Amino acid sequence: MIYNPMIAYHAKQELRGWNEVCRYPADWCGWHAFDRSMIAELLTHGHDVVTCGWNMYQVVREEVTS
């Protein structure tokens, strides 16, 4: 099985703080080049969250129930 986590993208608004904008698999073809570089940073270094300016990318850790 190939590890392909969901990535939550958050944008920061000056008065309201961070808000989740979307959530897609890490290999989603709709990510822009900058997004892909930030996601690569997350996955390469094992971080849960990485931010750059007004952008935040987060690995979604979903609970598995059986």
Side-chain angles (χ1 to χ4, degrees):
M1 177 180 250
I2 297 173
Y3 178 61
N4 186 32
M6 291 293 285
I7 305 296
Y9 170 74
H10 302 258
K12 189 173 186 180
Q13 296 180 354
E14 197 161 329
L15 299 176
R16 296 191 324 200
W18 294 104
N19 293 307
E20 185 174 323
V21 175
C22 62
R23 202 178 267 216
Y24 293 106
D27 67 353
W28 179 56
C29 63
W31 293 116
H32 296 275
F34 176 79
D35 299 320
R36 287 193 301 273
S37 70
M38 298 301 288
I39 292 167
E41 177 77 16
L42 274 173
L43 302 179
T44 301
H45 298 287
H47 302 302
D48 286 331
V49 174
V50 66
T51 62
C52 183
W54 297 87
N55 304 291
M56 178 170 66
Y57 302 83
Q58 177 183 29
V59 175
V60 177
R61 306 270 185 221
E62 296 189 16
E63 301 240 350
V64 178
T65 58
S66 48

